[in-house]
Amino acid sequence: MATTVSPAQVDPRVTSFLSKPRKMLINGKWVDSVSGKTFPTYDPSTGEVLAQVAEGDHADIDLAVKAARRAFADGSPWRKLTPSERGKLIWKIADLIDAHTEEFAYLESLDNGKPLTIARAADVPLAADLFRYMAGWATKIEGNTIPISVPYTPGAKYLGYTLREPVGVVGQIIPWNFPLLMAAWKLGPALAAGCTVVLKPAEQTPLSVLLLGEVIVEAGIPEGVVNIVPGYGETAGAALAAHPEVDKVAFTGSSEVGRLIVKAAAGNLKKVSLELGGKSPNVVFKDADLDAAIPGAASAIFFNHGQCCCAGSRLYVEKAVYDQVVEGVVKRAQKIKVGPGLDAKSDMGPLVSQEQLNRVCGYLELGLSEGAQAATGGGRVGDKGYFVQPTVLVNAKEDMKVVQEEIFGPVVAAMPFDDPEEIITRANDNVYGLAAGVWTRDISKAHRMAEHLRAGTVWINCYNIFDAALPFGGYKESGWGREMGHEVLENYTETKAVCARL
């Protein structure tokens, strides 16, 4: 394992996992890529190689899709399972995730860079919880009986009803910011609905998803039901999105790539769901509880190093308390200890890659050149690893790119407002509509804001609160469809109408 992290710091099971090239999961077997190629995955704290991973390509995707298609065929072991049996298998995945908490947490920290304490306390438990929630839904996907009236067959009686059926073979492409959790968000509802899956993890962070594959096999999920093909987006991802035997594709990532997914899916008009980017407004009114709003605003942007699609990156503060709020967020930013994820003292780890470091630093340079000022932060930390200072920008204007475009890093633009009525227009003046935050003691004001904000999620006097039962997704260019909650099952089911003359 080529890393500067002391082996004594790493769970020995993780050291063993990283010591040999990782294969891909196709039809219940761990196999090398057809080409024999591998690619490296890196420790973002050092820039050094963690492990080699099988590099999937068009040929591997084709094998995986065919395996998923066989597993979905009538009479297959998966299709013969009752909903209750299917739910028990999904629940077992959750139990095994819990049993392997340390391994998952270490792999998330090493591969993604996030603090081990966060991965252990949030990412892993939330992934297990999602599978348990969806296990319950396996027995509750129901149709309806429908009384129908047919005027052109007077006197005839009919029984009308609907069936909710699995959509079929699903291609799923997930991002690198929450690798394990995003895999759970995708796999849980697909399995609950009875679909089969080909999952492509992000090339930057494949390791925890490959460990999840081992858990899925151990849980007893039949061969071919879940296939995991690591590889690059432009090859494996593109092949999966375009494959004619895939019935539906689900993607989480940037809006730019989301558009490519839509184009690729057009070939066989497969169903598409997208959870895309955001530039979320976080609005603090002067009557807010500032003891809660200030740490809440800081957490809204600095959690997970700002690598959250719903990060509160546009901070609007009513003018009477603007200086106080900015000062408070700046102080909290300055107290954040930036360091390797395995360092127990670290509050914030590195960005995920050199590419992401270049992107965030490029936006910082652009914002400063356009006239914004850094009240704190504003640049890279050190010269090894992909670390960036938590940054608060002031004197930012609405037309600046740092205000309008998704940076996906620990950078917030703080802007004052005078008129509570104007803030709705300003908050909605963006192509994205994923999330928003409102901080006020006036509950009527809070709910009026929630009604008028064009966002899929609105948090009131809190931020970044997630639950498996709470749907998540966006308006506008932030995507199509919803993750989690019972709404997500719409992504993975078809409705069939049946009419019988009596």
Side-chain angles (χ1 to χ4, degrees):
M1 182 175 61
T3 177
T4 58
V5 174
S6 167
Q9 291 180 267
V10 181
D11 187 297
R13 294 168 295 181
V14 174
T15 303
S16 175
F17 185 89
L18 297 175
S19 65
K20 49 187 178 291
R22 307 313 308 174
K23 298 184 178 184
M24 62 183 67
L25 180 63
I26 296 179
N27 200 36
K29 305 292 189 300
W30 291 99
V31 297
D32 294 319
S33 63
V34 171
S35 68
K37 291 181 180 180
T38 63
F39 67 94
T41 184
Y42 297 92
D43 179 351
S45 293
T46 64
E48 297 178 7
V49 175
L50 275 173
Q52 293 289 333
V53 179
E55 182 183 335
D57 206 331
H58 294 75
D60 306 284
I61 290 292
D62 190 56
L63 290 173
V65 171
K66 284 180 166 54
R69 179 58 63 189
R70 290 192 298 272
F72 189 72
D74 285 342
S76 71
W78 179 241
R79 298 299 297 279
K80 287 181 178 179
L81 292 177
T82 66
S84 179
E85 290 169 333
R86 196 163 67 242
K88 287 178 181 178
L89 290 179
I90 299 169
W91 190 281
K92 190 171 183 181
I93 294 172
D95 287 344
L96 288 169
I97 289 173
D98 284 342
H100 293 274
T101 291
E102 286 302 293
E103 294 149 272
F104 278 116
Y106 272 100
L107 287 175
E108 289 293 78
S109 181
L110 285 167
D111 211 14
N112 169 274
K114 67 181 62 189
L116 176 63
T117 52
I118 299 297
R120 185 187 287 132
D123 295 64
V124 182
L126 285 171
D129 184 65
L130 189 287
F131 279 109
R132 288 196 180 96
Y133 175 81
M134 288 300 165
W137 272 109
T139 56
K140 300 171 188 67
I141 300 174
E142 303 168 339
N144 297 296
T145 56
I146 304 169
I148 59 176
S149 305
V150 184
Y152 52 83
T153 57
K157 298 290 186 179
Y158 299 93
L159 172 64
Y161 64 94
T162 59
L163 299 172
R164 294 277 297 281
E165 299 181 338
V167 72
V169 175
V170 177
Q172 298 180 325
I173 303 171
I174 60 174
W176 43 256
N177 54 339
F178 295 94
L180 176 64
L181 187 55
M182 292 298 100
W185 280 22
K186 290 289 188 287
L187 287 170
L191 295 177
C195 299
T196 60
V197 177
V198 179
L199 176 68
K200 193 204 86 68
E203 56 266 32
Q204 298 89 345
T205 55
L207 296 179
S208 62
V209 181
L210 294 174
L211 179 60
L212 179 61
E214 294 185 2
V215 161
I216 287 168
V217 172
E218 185 179 351
I221 298 293
E223 294 180 354
V225 173
V226 176
N227 306 272
I228 301 174
V229 182
Y232 293 102
E234 57 267 28
T235 50
L240 182 57
H243 200 289
E245 292 187 67
V246 170
D247 300 300
K248 180 254 183 334
V249 62
F251 171 76
T252 296
S254 71
S255 298
E256 292 80 5
V257 176
R259 292 184 179 90
L260 297 176
I261 296 290
V262 172
K263 290 180 181 179
N268 66 335
L269 295 177
K270 59 174 62 69
K271 297 179 181 298
V272 177
S273 57
L274 305 168
E275 197 263 280
L276 305 176
K279 192 71 179 177
S280 299
N282 195 14
V283 182
V284 179
F285 288 96
K286 65 183 179 182
D287 64 354
D289 177 358
L290 298 187
D291 289 339
I294 288 171
S299 176
I301 184 60
F302 299 133
F303 174 67
N304 206 51
H305 331 161
Q307 295 174 142
C308 295
C309 49
C310 59
S313 53
R314 290 187 291 146
L315 178 59
Y316 293 102
V317 185
E318 198 162 1
K319 200 165 187 178
V321 294
Y322 175 79
D323 290 341
Q324 183 179 352
V325 171
V326 170
E327 180 183 6
V329 174
V330 165
K331 286 181 178 178
R332 286 189 165 266
Q334 291 170 341
K335 291 179 180 178
I336 292 173
K337 179 172 172 50
V338 178
L342 294 192
D343 186 340
K345 297 178 182 178
S346 294
D347 301 310
M348 180 186 292
L351 301 180
V352 75
S353 65
Q354 182 68 52
E355 178 184 7
Q356 189 63 14
L357 175 68
N358 294 342
R359 173 187 175 90
V360 173
C361 289
Y363 270 108
L364 286 172
E365 292 174 6
L366 178 61
L368 296 175
S369 71
E370 289 182 334
Q373 297 177 346
T376 189
R380 182 177 183 177
V381 177
D383 57 5
K384 187 174 186 178
Y386 313 132
F387 299 96
V388 169
Q389 296 170 320
T391 299
V392 178
L393 297 178
V394 295
N395 292 337
K397 308 300 181 187
E398 295 286 354
D399 59 351
M400 291 182 178
K401 288 189 176 182
V402 290
V403 175
Q404 288 297 317
E405 298 182 9
E406 184 177 44
I407 299 175
F408 222 63
V411 182
V412 62
M415 295 164 285
F417 68 91
D418 290 304
D419 182 359
E421 297 302 321
E422 81 176 58
I423 194 56
I424 294 172
T425 301
R426 290 177 64 186
N428 287 333
D429 186 20
N430 194 268
V431 298
Y432 297 112
L434 190 57
V438 178
W439 301 84
T440 176
R441 286 189 174 95
D442 183 337
I443 197 65
S444 296
K445 183 193 298 181
H447 287 294
R448 287 197 303 272
M449 286 289 294
E451 178 184 359
H452 292 292
L453 288 168
R454 297 283 294 165
T457 295
V458 178
W459 287 294
I460 297 173
N461 295 328
C462 59
Y463 208 95
N464 283 331
I465 301 301
F466 297 95
D467 187 89
L470 195 65
F472 182 78
Y475 288 21
K476 299 184 281 186
E477 293 186 22
S478 288
W480 299 344
R482 292 295 179 267
E483 305 286 345
M484 302 193 294
H486 64 81
E487 284 88 351
V488 71
L489 297 169
E490 300 288 340
N491 293 346
Y492 296 101
T493 55
E494 296 271 24
T495 299
K496 177 183 289 182
V498 180
C499 180
R501 183 161 185 169
L502 303 180

